[in-house]
Amino acid sequence: MAVIDGQAEFQLIGNRSGDGGLDVRGRAWIVICAQGLRALTKRRTFLYLMLLAWIPCVVRAVQTYVAANFPQASFLGISTRTFRDFLDQQELFVFFITVYAGSGLVADDIRANALPLYLSRPVTRTQYVAGKLAVLMSALALVTWVPAMVLLILQPMFAGNATFIRQNLFLIPAIALLSLLEISVAAFTMLALSSLSKSRWFVAVMYAGVAFFSQAVFAATRMATDGTAFSWISLFANLMQVGDVIFGLPPRFREAPPVVSGAALAAVLALSVAVLNRRIRGIEVVT
């Protein structure tokens, strides 16, 4: 499947470009993204993951409807915390979809020797990376930003008024910003790891190791120090900490400054970009 997908993308880029294959409009990334998403939607496992990821949204939508229409169930009403908790809840699905949809994005191309073909069209490093990132980020947006916004839109529809949204307009940029942060950290980290190996399974193990090892180290330091000063070690804890700040809520790890968590996430993104640039440039130079 990986070889077929790579060849299909390569042929589509050639068919849609001009001047003997040169993508003069810089749209090669769109072709790469479209073909990648098309390949994903043909896989039942991916579709099942998507269905599972939307179950929490359906449950919360029912909760919103009941709270809005039955006074005795007003305790189920949504608040700012509802959307913050929902995006926290979706982190599990972000992890699984990142592993399934992202582990082979670059690794499969390297294994099938398709990456040199991309870069010989020529397709620039930026176009190639942007296309692969767009595949994974689009998939992740469907389980973070999209369902959260659906819930926000359903609330006034069920309540019959827009009071909640008028009083909490900041939720629109907050949901978008936190979703973008979660998506970007997952996508850039996975793509960087995918560029380091020819095996999608090894990449998946590396990503799980990075995510859970950092959490395990934080848990160990938390037990040893009886505090949360080292929460910045954990990728998940950093997202939680920064997410709380974005939503205007008290940071859950009070002993660690949120700015440190933000710097740690920025460092992860910078390192991922550096690894991607080095790996793709190395193949481009050889080509």
Side-chain angles (χ1 to χ4, degrees):
M1 177 64 72
V3 177
I4 295 175
D5 291 347
Q7 290 176 343
E9 290 174 8
F10 177 69
Q11 291 171 356
L12 282 171
I13 292 171
N15 292 337
R16 298 185 183 186
S17 61
D19 296 337
L22 177 63
D23 185 18
V24 293
R25 297 186 181 88
R27 296 178 181 173
W29 73 272
I30 298 177
V31 179
I32 294 172
C33 175
Q35 182 63 22
L37 290 174
R38 191 176 298 114
L40 275 179
T41 55
K42 292 179 180 179
R43 300 176 186 174
R44 290 186 178 180
T45 302
F46 175 74
L47 297 178
Y48 291 152
L49 280 173
M50 279 292 173
L51 288 174
L52 285 174
W54 272 79
I55 290 177
C57 179
V58 174
V59 171
R60 290 186 182 272
V62 172
Q63 170 189 332
T64 303
Y65 174 80
V66 171
N69 291 274
F70 298 93
Q72 61 271 31
S74 58
F75 65 93
L76 294 175
I78 67 172
S79 63
T80 298
R81 172 66 69 175
T82 302
F83 293 91
R84 177 69 191 92
D85 291 343
F86 174 76
L87 288 174
D88 258 358
Q89 187 178 18
Q90 293 302 96
E91 269 294 320
L92 178 64
F93 300 108
V94 168
F95 173 80
F96 283 114
I97 291 175
T98 298
V99 169
Y100 182 79
S103 58
L105 281 176
V106 181
D108 287 348
D109 287 343
I110 295 175
R111 179 172 57 82
N113 203 32
L115 190 49
L117 295 178
Y118 281 116
L119 301 178
S120 66
R121 283 314 284 175
V123 173
T124 66
R125 294 193 305 273
T126 301
Q127 290 171 354
Y128 176 80
V129 172
K132 295 297 183 177
L133 278 173
V135 173
L136 187 52
M137 293 181 75
S138 297
L140 295 179
L142 290 174
V143 299
T144 52
W145 179 73
V146 174
M149 289 305 297
V150 167
L151 287 174
L152 188 60
I153 293 171
L154 287 177
Q155 197 284 330
M157 294 176 62
F158 291 154
N161 61 74
T163 301
F164 178 81
I165 290 184
R166 283 199 301 266
Q167 294 176 346
N168 299 279
L169 279 175
F170 78 94
L171 280 175
I172 298 175
I175 290 171
L177 184 56
L178 181 53
S179 296
L180 179 61
L181 180 62
E182 292 178 344
I183 291 168
S184 298
V185 170
F188 274 93
T189 303
M190 174 54 82
L191 212 63
L193 293 175
S194 185
S195 70
L196 296 175
S197 175
K198 295 181 179 181
S199 169
R200 62 164 52 222
W201 302 111
F202 183 64
V203 171
V205 170
M206 283 196 295
Y207 182 78
V210 168
F212 292 111
F213 178 73
S214 65
Q215 183 66 19
V217 172
F218 167 48
T221 60
R222 191 173 188 174
M223 292 180 62
T225 63
D226 195 26
T228 59
F230 292 94
S231 62
W232 56 269
I233 295 175
S234 168
L235 197 61
F236 293 132
N238 286 327
L239 288 171
M240 292 177 187
Q241 188 84 328
V242 175
D244 290 341
V245 173
I246 290 174
F247 275 76
L249 299 171
R252 66 192 69 187
F253 306 116
R254 298 185 179 182
E255 296 179 25
V259 66
V260 176
S261 293
L265 292 177
V268 170
L269 289 172
L271 179 61
S272 298
V273 170
V275 170
L276 273 171
N277 182 60
R278 183 179 182 85
R279 289 289 295 169
I280 304 300
R281 182 175 60 184
I283 295 174
E284 185 180 44
V285 169
V286 173
T287 303

